[in-house]
């Protein structure tokens, strides 16, 4: 049994959450709670239950909303190269999305995401240079705009910059994943089109525990 504690600290509001995972053979049983579950005494607010078989399916149940979300994954080989397929459906908002990611080799990946019945379609190309620097460019047909990202790994640290041309949003991120000190991420967001350009700072941290 594993437990994960998470905290999120932002300019406007601080939040916290916890996740409990139980291994049951090939599947995992997961219960996720937010601070809304405990702030006014124990309640069902912010509680999500899930059943997951890694690499095959995830079924989420939002308890207060009584809403199911299904996700199915599979990998097939095309010309000896892996094609990862994902199908997801949320019953509450009747939203269905399909996604595919085709890996030409360890450095080049092309992926596409499409929400059925909408113009929400994204095509992304990712290139890994030297095993530690990743360049990504994504075209969003719904917004008719490009998004760009670059990230670099330095030991346990990852530094990432993202720019969305549709709204001139720039994001800078620093994250670390450590087996001993947990994980954390510090992000700064700013809109380059605004005059003030005051950044929004968000810090997230999590700790994994064996029970």
């Amino acid at each position: 049994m594993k437990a994960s504690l998470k905290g999120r600290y932002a300019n406007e509001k601080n939040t916290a959450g916890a996740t409990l995972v139980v291994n049951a053979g090939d599947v995992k049983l997961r219960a996720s709670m937010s601070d809304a579950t405990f702030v006014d005494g124990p309640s069902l607010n912010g509680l999500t239950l899930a059943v997951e078989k890694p690499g095959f399916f995830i079924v989420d149940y939002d308890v207060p909303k009584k809403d199911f979300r299904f996700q199915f994954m599979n990998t097939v080989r095309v010309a000896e190269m892996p094609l990862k397929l994902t199908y997801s459906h949320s019953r509450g908002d009747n939203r269905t999305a399909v996604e595919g990611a085709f890996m030409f080799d360890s450095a080049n990946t092309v992926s596409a995401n499409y929400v059925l019945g909408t113009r929400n379609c994204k095509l992304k190309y990712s290139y890994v240079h030297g095993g530690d620097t990743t360049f990504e460019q994504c075209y969003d047909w719904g917004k008719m705009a490009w998004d760009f990202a670059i990230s670099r790994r330095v030991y346990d640290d990852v530094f990432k910059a993202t720019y969305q041309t549709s709204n001139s949003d720039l994001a800078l991120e620093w994250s670390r994943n450590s087996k001993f000190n947990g994980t954390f991420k510090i992000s700064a967001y700013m809109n380059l089109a605004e005059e003030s350009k005051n950044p929004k700072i968000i810090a997230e941290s999590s700790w994994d525990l064996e029970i």
Side-chain angles (χ1 to χ4, degrees), residues 16 33-46:
M33 296 154 280
S34 69
D35 50 2
T37 311
F38 305 99
V39 67
D40 295 322
S43 68
L44 299 180
N45 295 328

Side-chain angles (χ1 to χ4, degrees), residues 20-39:
L20 182 66
V21 179
V22 178
N23 291 320
D26 293 337
V27 301
K28 295 182 179 181
L29 308 178
R30 183 174 68 249
S32 301
M33 296 154 280
S34 69
D35 50 2
T37 311
F38 305 99
V39 67

Side-chain angles (χ1 to χ4, degrees), residues 8-12 185-189 200-204:
R8 187 175 187 269
Y9 317 92
N11 299 45
E12 305 90 354
K185 180 172 66 175
I186 299 176
S187 308
Y189 302 86
K200 177 182 179 181
I201 307 297
I202 298 177
E204 301 172 89

